[in-house]
Amino acid sequence: LRDAANFFSSDATLSSSLDVTITGVAASSVSTTGPVWSAGSGAYLFRYTVTKAANVSIFVTYTPAGGTTGHISDSPFTEVAITAVLVDPDAAIDPAKSRVMGPALGVVVAGEITPAAVA
């Protein structure tokens, strides 16, 4: 979260003012945790699991005390594709077939969280 002057907020108590909602699939197919403040990354983190293939929308909103609910920048995130993946839990990991991807492999800004993933 950023304040009116565009500075990062480090107020860990604001997590109760954030809400994450996922639509486009039955509620019984969605599990979410968070948002939770992470002092290590300086961000509010949330995780979600969708157990069925679907195109979902993710709404991230903030409601200040006594204020009006508003969407976080770029929210809602629409047409997020959740695909069915068949995984063999007994298969050996082959590092040569794995890859790292994401914006963290390019030019990044100091002090900002930049994601990367290993697949």
Side-chain angles (χ1 to χ4, degrees), residues 46-57:
F46 76 95
R47 293 187 173 149
Y48 67 92
T49 302
V50 178
T51 59
K52 302 215 180 239
N55 283 333
V56 301
S57 294

Side-chain angles (χ1 to χ4, degrees), residues 6 8 13 34 48 52 63-64 66 69-70 72-73 75 77 81 85 95 97-98 104 109 113:
N6 206 29
F8 286 109
T13 65
Y48 67 92
K52 302 215 180 239
T63 307
T69 299
I72 298 297
S73 182
S75 173
F77 303 93
V85 177
K97 293 181 180 177
S98 301
V109 177
I113 298 170

Side-chain angles (χ1 to χ4, degrees), residues 8-99:
F8 286 109
S9 171
S10 59
D11 185 348
T13 65
L14 295 178
S15 61
S16 62
S17 301
L18 288 166
D19 184 55
V20 177
T21 304
I22 298 174
T23 63
V25 67
S28 60
S29 298
V30 177
S31 171
T32 61
T33 58
V36 175
W37 173 251
S38 170
S41 63
Y44 293 90
L45 306 177
F46 76 95
R47 293 187 173 149
Y48 67 92
T49 302
V50 178
T51 59
K52 302 215 180 239
N55 283 333
V56 301
S57 294
I58 303 171
F59 297 80
V60 183
T61 57
Y62 173 73
T63 307
T68 304
T69 299
H71 282 275
I72 298 297
S73 182
D74 298 328
S75 173
F77 303 93
T78 59
E79 296 298 315
V80 177
I82 308 297
T83 59
V85 177
L86 302 175
V87 177
D88 178 359
D90 297 321
I93 300 297
D94 184 350
K97 293 181 180 177
S98 301
R99 63 187 184 128

